Amino acid sequence: MPTARRRLESKDIPQADSLENVRRIIDAVADGSKTKADVSDRTGINPRHVLYGLHTARVLGFLVEEEGGGFGTTELGNTLRNDPAGSAEEREAFRKSIQESEIIGAIAPGILSDKPPTQDTITKNIVKLSGLSDSTAGRRAQTLISWRTQILSQLGTGVVPSADDAADESDEDETVAQA
């Protein structure tokens, strides 16, 4: 795993608490905003928080840093744009990106599972992989816990199912209804 072989930079450890704002930032970039200032003007989000959101979207695979500065959307980011904001499809896209992110997997393995790592464990992983201070790492760990809470509260359950799990449950419900 490359993250285990190299030290993560501070910008690689997400600090954008609101997935809704991350989505707004992705939308702004997809609509042509390239810089932190452009995105801030378009969204009304504070420039510092825009920067957090830009790097979070990059870590999750929705955006890419372009040569010469600025950001652009990836294929995954463009696909997300087809999902209505706040929809089950959007939640699934975020869930999948969180679970598939190499960086998130290194610092918070199983964050969306029924037995997630504790905030203390995530903090220790962040310190080990990035060299950030305990207090900064703790604040970043809080971000990941916040994502878990957002996704779970939107689903109304204690475990974040995959799309396949949801389809299986739907099939079971249909079978029971036919019986």
Side-chain angles (χ1 to χ4, degrees):
M1 166 184 293
T3 54
R5 286 185 245 136
R6 69 175 173 92
R7 191 170 262 329
L8 296 174
E9 294 181 42
S10 178
K11 69 181 184 177
D12 292 333
I13 312 297
Q15 55 185 327
D17 289 337
S18 169
L19 293 174
E20 178 184 344
N21 281 350
V22 171
R23 169 60 189 263
R24 290 174 54 208
I25 290 165
I26 294 165
D27 287 344
V29 171
D31 288 339
S33 298
K34 295 289 183 190
T35 66
K36 174 177 71 169
D38 292 342
V39 173
S40 180
D41 288 345
R42 180 167 176 79
T43 63
I45 299 171
N46 175 295
R48 188 173 111 202
H49 291 262
V50 165
L51 189 59
Y52 299 161
L54 288 167
H55 286 295
T56 293
R58 177 186 51 79
V59 166
L60 294 177
F62 297 112
L63 297 180
V64 63
E65 271 187 279
E66 296 180 334
E67 267 188 53
F71 288 82
T73 53
T74 62
E75 184 177 326
L76 187 61
N78 290 327
T79 300
L80 177 69
R81 298 259 303 158
N82 295 324
D83 299 332
S87 68
E89 295 84 5
E90 178 193 61
R91 285 189 300 277
E92 174 62 15
F94 274 113
R95 183 202 62 76
K96 187 174 180 184
S97 291
I98 291 166
Q99 287 185 316
E100 292 179 359
S101 169
E102 185 177 313
I103 291 172
I104 303 305
I107 60 177
I111 186 67
L112 298 178
S113 71
D114 59 345
K115 294 183 181 177
T118 65
Q119 185 171 335
D120 186 53
T121 298
I122 297 169
T123 300
K124 288 176 183 173
N125 289 342
I126 291 171
V127 168
K128 179 180 174 185
L129 292 171
S130 70
L132 291 173
S133 70
D134 285 343
S135 62
T136 300
R139 174 61 191 90
R140 306 284 179 92
Q142 240 180 338
T143 291
L144 300 177
I145 299 297
S146 172
W147 292 357
R148 177 182 165 75
T149 301
Q150 289 170 63
I151 290 175
L152 293 179
S153 69
Q154 290 170 343
L155 292 173
T157 179
V159 179
V160 181
S162 70
D164 295 336
D165 293 340
D168 290 345
E169 288 176 19
S170 175
D171 292 344
E172 289 172 15
D173 292 344
E174 194 173 301
T175 303
V176 170
Q178 292 174 354

